[in-house]
Amino acid sequence: MHDEHHRPPYKLAIKPSLQSSSKSPMRFPLLHRCYLLLSLALAVVESHAVTPEVYWKHMLPTTPMPEAIKESLIEGDDEMITATRVGKQVPGPNVGVRRGGKGVHYGNRRNPGSVGVQPGVNPFVYKYAASKDQLKDDPNVALFFLEKDLHQGIEMNLHFTKNDQKSMFLPRKVVDSIPFSSKDLPQIYNRFSVKPDSMEGQDMKQTLNECENKGIEGEEKYCATSLESMVDFVTTKLGKKVKAISTEVNAKESTPLQKYKVELVKKRGRDKVVVCHKQIYPYAVFYCHETVATRAYAVSVVGVDGMKVNAMAVCHIDTAKWNPKHLAFQVLKVKPGRVPICHFLPEDHVVWVQY
């Protein structure tokens, strides 16, 4: 039998070709400079340690892993985890949320029909108040819609985009050694070679603030900095008989803003769910929260060009504690607590339901 105590540590593969370039399309173009630092952290993890994927299979043996999570796993085997994979640009589908213009909306001058999320403007934080400027692009074609309008045959203008960069899950033992707090921002910026006043720096600051701020009444929130911690939070709230589901777009590239027709609507699970929203950060961080009276729906839609999307929608039955100036209320012209409000989930967000 192989002696587990004499297995070699993870090998490191730091290549000169991965040096930072001003032409890099990544959200964090300077992250290549920090790979060596992360290599040192990864080196302390012995090859017999439990990887995020192994932990998932142990805790959730009957729960298939959705693409949204698979695509955030570091590739490698039990003999090698290279820090050069962390934050590396990986082709394929990602979030349908894209930066552009002001506010959260479908439609802006540069990327018409895409959902724009910027620092201080997160539609999944219900304490958030939208400014009047955010309604200028097109309030009629928005992220939010009413539950009564979710039925077969209805048509919606939607835009499913692709992102050309991803943040990857790090093993819990590694992320636990990296500061994750607003008070440690100078140290975090230095570790990841990010300038505080840069777009990347503001994104990181926003993520930390949202993770540290208290949620609304009736909301239990948690920022998972590893796949293991996400699984722990979900199983604590819902148990182990759960399904993890994400939006899946049958396309390798971004699709145009177009009209989609709802072909099928199917309720998934009970009225208790946990939704985990992918945040903008150098490595994978998910804002997970459980809110009272929430329903999840699998929605099959087809575009006028034949594009098919299996989307996930979440409907909040009780919105009484939301900020009265939240974008949803302004776009839909309703008041808090009056009617159930829904929103589609981007591709790399995950909804967990009980079965």
Side-chain angles (χ1 to χ4, degrees):
M1 182 178 293
H2 186 73
D3 187 350
E4 292 292 331
H5 296 288
H6 290 86
R7 295 178 67 183
Y10 290 123
K11 299 176 183 177
L12 303 180
I14 308 300
K15 300 180 180 180
S17 60
L18 290 176
Q19 295 301 313
S20 176
S21 168
S22 60
K23 296 182 180 180
S24 172
M26 295 176 62
R27 179 65 64 89
F28 291 88
L30 298 179
L31 278 183
H32 297 296
R33 300 178 184 175
C34 79
Y35 287 159
L36 182 58
L37 294 173
L38 286 175
S39 298
L40 298 176
L42 286 171
V44 303
V45 183
E46 295 297 326
S47 59
H48 65 268
V50 176
T51 65
E53 188 172 12
V54 169
Y55 190 79
W56 176 289
K57 292 179 179 178
H58 172 72
M59 294 292 291
L60 303 170
T62 62
T63 303
M65 185 180 291
E67 289 300 317
I69 291 179
K70 287 181 181 179
E71 292 172 356
S72 293
L73 292 176
I74 298 176
E75 295 181 7
D77 54 31
D78 63 349
E79 294 297 331
M80 179 183 294
I81 291 184
T82 65
T84 57
R85 302 292 302 179
V86 180
K88 180 179 179 181
Q89 179 179 338
V90 180
N94 195 5
V95 72
V97 177
R98 193 177 270 190
R99 178 182 299 275
K102 292 183 177 180
V104 180
H105 50 270
Y106 283 97
N108 60 68
R109 293 182 181 86
R110 294 184 180 180
N111 301 302
S114 61
V115 183
V117 176
Q118 290 193 324
V121 185
N122 190 333
F124 309 115
V125 177
Y126 308 127
K127 295 175 64 174
Y128 151 71
S131 66
K132 293 182 179 179
D133 291 339
Q134 294 170 223
L135 300 175
K136 293 180 179 180
D137 288 302
D138 189 356
N140 297 313
V141 186
L143 177 65
F144 295 89
F145 58 94
L146 299 178
E147 188 179 34
K148 69 179 182 63
D149 295 327
L150 185 60
H151 56 78
Q152 184 177 10
I154 192 171
E155 296 182 337
M156 299 181 178
N157 289 319
L158 302 172
H159 190 192
F160 295 95
T161 64
K162 301 291 180 182
N163 200 328
D164 61 2
Q165 65 87 35
K166 296 176 184 293
S167 54
M168 314 300 286
F169 277 117
L170 296 181
R172 174 155 55 186
K173 189 172 182 178
V174 175
V175 295
D176 284 351
S177 70
I178 302 174
F180 189 78
S181 170
S182 294
K183 65 181 180 62
D184 295 318
L185 261 174
Q187 181 181 348
I188 298 172
Y189 286 148
N190 182 63
R191 166 166 274 186
F192 290 102
S193 300
V194 173
K195 295 181 179 180
D197 58 350
S198 66
M199 181 182 296
E200 293 83 5
Q202 293 305 303
D203 285 335
M204 294 170 70
K205 182 178 181 179
Q206 176 195 342
T207 291
L208 290 172
N209 286 337
E210 290 175 355
C211 288
E212 293 169 347
N213 288 340
K214 185 178 179 180
I216 63 173
E217 183 179 340
E219 174 190 25
E220 292 195 49
K221 50 170 286 193
Y222 173 73
C223 273
T225 56
S226 67
L227 182 56
E228 298 95 317
S229 61
M230 181 195 296
V231 170
D232 288 348
F233 177 75
V234 171
T235 53
T236 298
K237 300 301 176 184
L238 304 179
K240 293 187 177 182
K241 292 186 176 181
V242 294
K243 289 185 180 296
I245 317 170
S246 57
T247 293
E248 296 182 357
V249 180
N250 186 24
K252 294 182 179 181
E253 300 178 353
S254 295
T255 60
L257 170 64
Q258 62 179 330
K259 187 171 293 183
Y260 284 83
K261 186 175 183 179
V262 174
E263 291 190 323
L264 180 68
V265 178
K266 183 178 181 181
K267 187 176 182 296
R268 300 301 299 266
R270 309 170 191 174
D271 289 359
K272 183 179 181 180
V273 305
V274 170
V275 184
C276 293
H277 306 284
K278 187 77 172 285
Q279 300 296 101
I280 301 176
Y281 210 70
Y283 54 86
V285 173
F286 281 78
Y287 178 105
C288 298
H289 56 165
E290 175 196 10
T291 54
V292 296
T294 304
R295 292 192 277 260
Y297 292 94
V299 186
S300 297
V301 299
V302 59
V304 293
D305 65 351
M307 176 59 62
K308 293 185 177 181
V309 178
N310 293 320
M312 286 303 299
V314 174
C315 295
H316 301 277
I317 313 308
D318 184 3
T319 60
K321 302 299 181 180
W322 289 23
N323 190 312
K325 294 184 179 180
H326 190 281
L327 181 65
F329 301 132
Q330 299 191 51
V331 169
L332 300 174
K333 301 187 184 306
V334 296
K335 294 183 178 181
R338 296 292 179 86
V339 293
I341 289 177
C342 310
H343 59 80
F344 283 108
L345 290 178
E347 283 186 86
D348 61 356
H349 294 207
V350 182
V351 57
W352 299 78
V353 299
Q354 295 173 308
Y355 67 87

